[in-house]
């Protein structure tokens, strides 16, 4: 369903794009714009710019650009409707349910899961039904405010409590079945609840939608597993979700670090202790998709796994996945028999903070200590194998400067000459890495379009002048240019749309294009041309025309750009004919045609150079 333009305009007017982007990217003001390192690709020199006056952003490195909605879409990996919902919540502007639902066919599943989460929370807070669950939470030190923050709940000790409540509220149980909340009865028909007499942990997506649940037994039952989880559904894939990320994302961005633990209760205990940049996998080993999700928020990872062989192996698997995505990794090993939940309850939060800082190891030191405990360093072959494994891990890191730093660190820890490790790194870098660690890709969910790669500088300038100067400039430019002279695709479509507006007597305004009212492709090219820095050419410098200050000399600059663009198009055709001329040496008839065409083009080129085609009546 289309969200009304006035609703979008109200949200834009209520938000400062610099503040929205600044929550994700550190920005510094330079002139009228703000600059920072692009969050969509790796770079060392800031090429990411935000223009608060136009309400748009643009990266001159990777080509990403658009308005505030486009930024949230790309940085959070969500649909346009979901980006609107997130920004509407930030702005305090309510969206009608029909608009909020949008066009996502998964919305009925989200509605079912949201209903279930509210139902379970209501049951937890019910004086009678939730008494045992509340007592359990109290015994684990979970405060009511913490339970509410994570949406904890209770699934009643009944076969169809949720199913009955859902039907009474007008839901179809087939949707609840698809969401993994109920199961079909084989004999009698109908449905029964998947989760019964369990403490419920709702699992949120990184944008705050309930996508699944984990349920923990409240009383021992040898015939039941301690935990059961939602099955894979169209909205829930375990390997793509991190428990606690929705609650932790702001703290992770602020600290530029994410702590990764193993269990739901570990996350809750650490958040309650004030260590809010903590997340956990949803009952699976860390996956590549989860690391890519973390890379949108964190610049480094701290692994805090249980001090047992399983935790050590989980840490080893996680290290290479993080390194391959450009995330430095540190490891903290807790005392034997402890997990994060037990440690924080037996000690203070300050003690855990101090422990995390004092005993954090870089991944090289961690692997070295683990190898020593396992007896791997007792033989020369074991030492050589460890060195090879550590250098292989370093080779996965995409930043060459950090690779060198890690190699120096490995040389210190392993007591091996740097030159030997560099030689090994060169050998490993020239061979393919194991498939379990693919190379890093940008954290944005899809690569943004990059129209700037096909746009000529003069063409960019003409489109910008028309968008900025209005109807008289559209008349001047398109009175001297054919649409076919603009690059095929979005640039030509933008020029055609401007011509349509002019002929219909409509005002020319860049904002609808920048806001995406004419589609994402035209939004991208409009953003591209409006944010382009436009370095003055030598010809413009000699004329004393400063391109960024175009109001006084707009038509003179446009005329110069038209000439340049026409000459470039003619030169392209001349070059193609000259290439064909070389291939047609034995075809005299075709050679004569080519020569005649070249003569005509050269005459036309001379006329264009002297500006004889310009209509002085349009210069105003």
């Amino acid at each position: 369903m289309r969200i009304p333009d006035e609703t979008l305009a109200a949200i834009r007017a209520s938000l400062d794009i610099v503040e929205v982007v600044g929550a994700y990217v550190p920005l510094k003001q330079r002139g009228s714009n703000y600059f920072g390192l692009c969050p969509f690709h790796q770079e060392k020199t800031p090429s990411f710019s935000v223009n608060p006056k136009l309400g748009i952003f643009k990266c001159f490195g990777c080509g990403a650009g658009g308005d505030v909605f486009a930024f949230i879409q790309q940085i959070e990996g969500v649909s346009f409707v979901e980006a609107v919902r997130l920004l509407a919540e930030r702005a305090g502007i309510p969206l009608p349910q029909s608009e909020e639902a949008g066009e996502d066919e998964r919305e009925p599943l989200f509605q079912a899961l949201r209903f279930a989460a509210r139902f379970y929370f209501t049951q937890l807070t019910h004086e009678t039904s939730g008494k045992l669950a509340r007592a359990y939470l109290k015994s684990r030190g979970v405060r009511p405010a913490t339970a509410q923050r994570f949406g904890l709940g209770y699934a009643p000790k009944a076969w169809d409590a949720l199913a009955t409540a859902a039907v009474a509220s007008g839901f179809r149980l087939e949707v609840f079945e698809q969401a993994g909340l109920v199961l079909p009865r084989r004999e009698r028909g109908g449905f029964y609840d998947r989760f019964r007499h369990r403490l419920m942990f709702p699992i949120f997506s990184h944008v705050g939608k309930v996508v699944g649940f984990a349920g923990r037994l409240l009383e021992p039952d040898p015939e039941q597993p301690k935990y059961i989880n939602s099955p894979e559904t169209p909205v829930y894939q375990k390997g793509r979700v991190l428990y606690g990320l929705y609650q932790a994302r702001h703290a992770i961005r602020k600290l530029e670090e994410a702590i990764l633990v193993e269990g739901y209760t570990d996350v809750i205990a650490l958040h309650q202790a004030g260590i809010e940049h903590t997340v956990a996998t949803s009952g699976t080993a860390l996956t590549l998709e989860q690391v890519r999700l973390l890379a949108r928020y964190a610049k480094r990872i701290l692994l805090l796994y249980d001090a047992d062989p399983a935790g050590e192996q989980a840490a080893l698997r996680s290290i290479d996945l993080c390194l391959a995505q450009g995330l430095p990794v540190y490891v903290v090993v807790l005392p034997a028999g402890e997990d994060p939940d037990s440690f924080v309850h037996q000690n203070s939060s300050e003690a855990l903070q101090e422990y995390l800082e004092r005993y954090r190891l870089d991944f090289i030191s961690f692997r070295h200590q683990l190898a020593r405990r396992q007896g791997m360093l007792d033989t020369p072959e074991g030492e050589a194998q460890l060195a090879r494994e550590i250098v292989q891990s370093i080779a996965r890191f995409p930043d060459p400067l950090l690779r060198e730093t890690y190699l120096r660190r490995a040389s210190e820890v392993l007591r091996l000459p740097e030159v030997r490790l560099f030689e090994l790194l060169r050998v490993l870098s020239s061979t393919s890495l194991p498939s379990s660690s693919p190379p890093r890709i940008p954290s944005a969910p899809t690569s943004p379009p990059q129209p700037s790669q096909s746009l000529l500088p003069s063409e960019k300038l003409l489109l910008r002048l028309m968008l900025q100067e209005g109807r008289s400039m559209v008349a001047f430019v398109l009175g001297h240019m054919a649409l076919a002279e603009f690059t095929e695709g979005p640039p030509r479509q933008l020029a055609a749309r401007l011509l349509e507006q002019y002929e219909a007597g409509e005002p020319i305004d860049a904002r609808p294009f920048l806001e995406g009212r004419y589609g994402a492709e035209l939004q991208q090219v409009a953003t591209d041309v409006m944010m382009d820095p436009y370095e003055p050419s030598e010809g413009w410098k000699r004329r004393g025309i400063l391109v960024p200050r175009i109001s006084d000399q707009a038509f003179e600059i446009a005329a110069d750009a038209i000439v340049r663009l026409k000459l470039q198009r003619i030169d392209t055709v001349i070059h193609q004919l000259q290439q064909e001329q070389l291939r047609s040496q034995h075809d005299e008839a075709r050679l004569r045609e080519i020569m005649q065409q070249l003569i005509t083009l050269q005459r036309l080129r001379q006329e264009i150079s002297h500006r004889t085609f310009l209509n002085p009546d349009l210069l105003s």
Side-chain angles (χ1 to χ4, degrees), residues 16-18 21 27 32-35 48-58 66 464 511 514 530-531:
D16 181 351
I17 190 172
V18 174
V21 175
L27 297 172
S32 58
N33 288 355
Y34 291 77
F35 289 83
F48 180 88
S49 176
V50 180
N51 185 313
K53 183 178 179 180
L54 295 175
I56 57 177
F57 73 96
K58 170 73 191 301
R464 176 181 177 177
R511 191 159 298 281
L514 297 173
M530 293 298 289
M531 288 286 285

Side-chain angles (χ1 to χ4, degrees), residues 526-589:
T527 301
D528 191 36
V529 300
M530 293 298 289
M531 288 286 285
D532 196 274
Y534 292 121
E535 291 294 331
S537 69
E538 290 302 317
W540 287 326
K541 287 179 181 177
R542 286 196 297 270
R543 291 171 179 269
I545 299 171
L546 298 177
V547 176
R549 302 173 183 175
I550 63 175
S551 57
D552 296 335
Q553 302 288 347
F555 290 101
E556 176 63 21
I557 294 173
D560 200 13
I562 290 171
V563 169
R564 290 172 180 272
L565 183 55
K566 286 180 178 290
L567 291 178
Q568 285 175 301
R569 298 303 192 201
I570 288 177
D571 288 343
T572 299
V573 178
I574 288 175
H575 177 72
Q576 292 171 349
L577 288 172
Q578 288 172 339
Q579 294 296 313
E580 185 181 356
Q581 187 178 31
L582 294 174
R583 297 191 299 268
S584 305
Q585 294 299 319
H586 303 293
D587 187 345
E588 293 185 7

Side-chain angles (χ1 to χ4, degrees), residues 261-542:
V261 297
E262 292 185 273
Y264 305 112
T265 55
D266 293 333
V267 171
I268 292 172
L270 266 61
H271 274 251
Q272 185 170 271
I275 306 173
E276 297 183 348
H277 54 303
T278 306
V279 297
T281 56
S282 297
T284 66
L286 186 67
T287 67
L288 179 61
E289 288 78 9
Q290 289 169 334
V291 176
R292 287 175 175 169
L293 184 59
L294 274 179
R296 299 183 195 171
Y297 303 87
K299 292 186 177 179
R300 60 185 175 274
I301 304 297
L302 176 63
L303 302 176
L304 184 59
Y305 288 155
D306 296 351
D308 55 26
E312 292 170 348
Q313 290 304 309
L316 288 175
R317 287 193 302 268
S318 301
I319 285 172
D320 284 348
L321 283 173
C322 294
L323 292 177
Q325 295 301 302
L327 293 172
V329 186
Y330 296 84
V331 183
V332 171
V333 179
L334 292 171
E338 295 278 13
D339 59 34
D341 183 20
S342 64
F343 188 95
V344 77
H345 283 111
Q346 294 177 17
N347 303 274
S348 64
S349 59
E350 291 78 11
L352 178 57
Q353 289 275 23
E354 181 181 351
Y355 191 93
L356 294 178
E357 292 302 320
R358 183 176 181 181
Y359 292 102
R360 72 168 53 203
L361 301 171
D362 59 67
F363 77 93
I364 296 171
S365 299
F366 168 73
R367 296 192 71 153
H368 186 262
Q369 288 190 10
L370 182 59
R372 183 180 298 281
R373 290 198 302 271
Q374 294 174 341
M376 192 175 180
L377 304 184
D378 295 342
T379 63
E381 311 90 81
E383 291 183 350
Q385 180 183 346
L386 176 63
R388 191 172 291 106
E389 291 175 354
I390 287 177
V391 174
Q392 191 171 54
S393 293
I394 294 173
R396 302 177 194 278
F397 206 85
D399 187 335
L401 293 179
L402 271 177
R403 284 202 299 265
E404 292 186 12
T405 304
Y406 280 136
L407 280 177
R408 286 193 289 272
R409 175 63 177 159
S411 174
E412 296 173 2
V413 173
L414 299 173
R415 297 182 181 179
L416 291 173
E418 280 187 43
V419 64
R420 297 298 184 196
L421 298 181
F422 272 105
E423 290 175 358
L424 181 56
L425 177 63
R426 279 194 292 270
V427 172
L428 292 173
S429 298
S430 63
T431 59
S432 60
L433 294 174
S435 59
S436 60
S437 296
R440 178 186 173 96
I441 66 168
S443 58
T446 57
S447 299
Q450 302 182 33
S452 59
Q453 293 182 349
S454 59
L455 276 168
L456 295 171
S458 299
E459 185 177 28
K460 280 187 178 183
L461 182 53
L462 290 172
L463 289 170
R464 176 181 177 177
L465 285 169
M466 288 191 288
L467 286 168
Q468 186 166 306
E469 298 295 314
R471 291 180 55 81
S472 59
M473 184 58 69
V474 172
F476 177 72
V477 173
L478 297 183
H480 292 102
M481 295 279 296
L483 289 176
E485 292 181 271
F486 287 90
T487 299
E488 186 178 4
R492 188 179 300 172
Q493 294 168 14
L494 177 57
R497 176 66 71 170
L498 291 171
L499 180 60
E500 290 175 5
Q501 291 181 342
Y502 177 84
E503 292 177 340
E506 299 174 4
I508 305 300
D509 184 4
R511 191 159 298 281
F513 292 95
L514 297 173
E515 293 174 354
R517 298 186 199 176
Y518 298 108
E521 289 186 332
L522 294 192
Q523 179 189 38
Q524 184 67 27
V525 74
T527 301
D528 191 36
V529 300
M530 293 298 289
M531 288 286 285
D532 196 274
Y534 292 121
E535 291 294 331
S537 69
E538 290 302 317
W540 287 326
K541 287 179 181 177
R542 286 196 297 270

